[in-house]
Amino acid sequence: MICRTSWNSPKTLHSMRAGIALGSNLGDRLAHLNEAHRLLQDLHNGSGPFLSSKIYESTPVDCPQNSPLFLNAAIELSTDLPPLDLLAKLQAIETQSGRPLTRGFHEPRTLDLDLLYLGNLRMSHNLLTLPHPRISERLFVLKPLNDICPNRQIACSERLVRNARDVLELSPDSDCAVNFVSYFQQAT
């Protein structure tokens, strides 16, 4: 189920929790995720903890044939940035990692940062839909999210992250294998 509502930017935005999915399947995948992790910490405004999942390796979903395996993770941070400003910051980090601005749909990439949710905000814009419309269909998103916020309610449903993850893991139709690989590198 997808909720679509319009959203008008308030004059001031209070700090909200933002969920961000990270993925990489080109180049030094682990280095790309660690660098993104470091840069995302700079976006965290310090109210509430900066949460990081484990890093998982997953098979590509809806990608061109013979696409390399992904490394995936999730982060939750606090921000007072409006949604489109936060999206612009995430896209700048992707570009900094070598991801081209123009690309084919679901092509392999050095870095993919998806804004999954921003508090309980619901919006539909040509550049961004919140919460992410496919959050409950992606095991490679749900498994890392379960590490950091298993009790988070999923987009317009009564289902929690941990329950949705359990359903997908048990589903015979699930064509995505997701396995633990690493932890984020600690800043020195």
Side-chain angles (χ1 to χ4, degrees):
M1 178 190 320
I2 300 171
C3 281
R4 295 195 184 270
T5 59
S6 61
W7 181 79
N8 294 317
S9 177
K11 298 291 182 211
T12 59
L13 190 66
H14 298 288
S15 183
M16 289 193 284
R17 301 296 289 172
I20 300 165
L22 296 79
S24 176
N25 73 335
L26 275 184
D28 188 340
R29 302 170 303 160
L30 189 56
H32 292 306
L33 291 189
N34 277 311
E35 178 64 7
H37 183 267
R38 185 185 68 73
L39 293 169
L40 288 168
Q41 286 178 333
D42 293 341
L43 295 180
H44 178 59
N45 72 8
S47 62
F50 181 89
L51 301 174
S52 307
S53 73
K54 299 173 197 164
I55 298 172
Y56 296 88
E57 187 170 61
S58 64
T59 53
V61 174
D62 297 332
C63 292
Q65 193 171 12
N66 300 317
S67 290
L69 296 175
F70 273 88
L71 288 186
N72 296 99
I75 286 176
E76 188 179 77
L77 55 82
S78 294
T79 183
D80 51 10
L81 290 172
L84 295 178
D85 292 353
L86 181 55
L87 177 64
K89 298 270 188 190
L90 298 180
Q91 291 171 335
I93 293 170
E94 289 176 338
T95 301
Q96 184 177 333
S97 80
R99 183 173 178 172
L101 293 174
T102 306
R103 57 198 174 265
F105 187 68
H106 289 252
E107 282 188 353
R109 60 214 76 149
T110 53
L111 185 63
D112 186 33
L113 299 175
D114 286 336
L115 182 55
L116 302 173
Y117 56 85
L118 185 58
N120 292 320
L121 188 65
R122 302 210 186 291
M123 69 176 277
S124 182
H125 185 277
N126 64 331
L127 297 175
L128 179 65
T129 300
L130 288 175
H132 193 288
R134 289 177 303 286
I135 192 171
S136 63
E137 302 167 10
R138 306 290 199 203
L139 186 57
F140 61 86
V141 171
L142 290 171
K143 203 158 189 175
L145 265 183
N146 184 66
D147 289 346
I148 59 175
C149 56
N151 294 319
R152 177 152 192 92
Q153 187 173 331
I154 295 179
C156 301
S157 79
E158 297 301 315
R159 191 173 278 176
L160 301 177
V161 167
R162 68 171 176 246
N163 302 121
R165 184 216 63 221
D166 291 343
V167 168
L168 279 178
E169 283 183 339
L170 296 173
S171 170
D173 299 329
S174 180
D175 57 357
C176 179
V178 180
N179 300 301
F180 169 73
V181 173
S182 182
Y183 294 98
F184 280 103
Q185 191 176 38
Q186 296 301 313
T188 53

